[in-house]
Amino acid sequence: MSMILEISLRLFVALLLGGIIGIEREFRSKEAGFRTHFLVALGSALFCVVSQYGFGYDLKDSSRVAAQVVSGIGFLGAGTIIFQKNVVRGLTTAAGLWVTAAIGLSCGAGMHVVALIATIMVLFGLEILNAFIPKIGTTTVVLTFTATSKESVRNVIKQIKADCIELYSYELKDRRTSQGEIFEVSIEMKVKRGNHNERLIDYMEEFDDVTISSIE
């Protein structure tokens, strides 16, 4: 009975710590959220427990199963990485799943304190450090807007080119409506991290016939 309680505690701690990271990802509206992360942590812990106690005390080799979890989680992580045009998305989510699997293995091995410290460090890196160093590095932004004249489109793009680091792609669609001709523009660019959304909105406010559809 004591062994069952110990194993249950390990699995519960893995579920709890993995769920905490998942809640943070859920708050950020990422693809892999609470359910994915707690399942990864719980599954990793269960694999570790099975490798320790599932084959008898004389035949156990927990390192083999742990090694398979480390390599196997790569397939799940790779599924969250999306390459669209020139943009790679989901790397942070994949890395989060990878470290969540490690936290689950730690719980399965009974290293609860180590798993808790690792969880705190993950949340610290995702939230605290991200808040203090938002302007370091670059990010990719996809801007979509509409305009009623090509001249406005040209002026907006001219300002964006002067500010952004690199312009990846530019797509213009002409659509005719009952109110006249509408130009739909989608621009993919590399910009410095920070208040880039505010700067883009400021550009648009200079033109009365330009409307922002989305900034991603």
Side-chain angles (χ1 to χ4, degrees), residues 1 4 9 56 61 64 69 87 102 107 129 137 167 170 182 215:
M1 178 63 70
I4 294 177
L9 176 62
D61 188 355
R64 289 188 178 184
V69 172
V87 184
C107 294
L129 291 182
L167 192 65
Y170 160 65
I182 298 294
I215 302 177

Side-chain angles (χ1 to χ4, degrees), residues 30-31 77-83 88-97:
K30 300 301 180 180
E31 292 79 7
T80 66
I81 300 174
I82 302 173
F83 180 78
V88 178
R89 304 182 187 276
L91 287 176
T92 303
T93 301
L97 291 174

Side-chain angles (χ1 to χ4, degrees), residues 41-154:
L42 180 60
S44 300
L46 183 58
F47 274 122
C48 189
V49 169
V50 169
S51 67
Q52 289 179 319
Y53 304 108
F55 306 103
Y57 290 97
D58 296 331
L59 299 177
K60 71 174 183 178
D61 188 355
S62 58
S63 62
R64 289 188 178 184
V65 176
Q68 295 302 316
V69 172
V70 173
S71 59
I73 194 64
F75 291 97
L76 184 60
T80 66
I81 300 174
I82 302 173
F83 180 78
Q84 186 177 13
K85 295 181 180 179
N86 295 305
V87 184
V88 178
R89 304 182 187 276
L91 287 176
T92 303
T93 301
L97 291 174
W98 183 61
V99 74
T100 301
I103 291 172
L105 285 174
S106 300
C107 294
M111 303 171 65
H112 299 150
V113 176
V114 173
L116 178 61
I117 293 173
T119 302
I120 294 173
M121 293 176 69
V122 169
L123 296 176
F124 177 80
L126 290 175
E127 289 295 326
I128 307 300
L129 291 182
N130 184 63
F132 278 103
I133 53 174
K135 297 183 180 180
I136 296 179
T138 61
T139 185
T140 301
V141 175
V142 178
L143 170 67
T144 305
F145 66 91
T146 59
T148 58
S149 67
K150 282 189 177 181
E151 184 65 25
S152 296
V153 173
R154 281 193 291 265

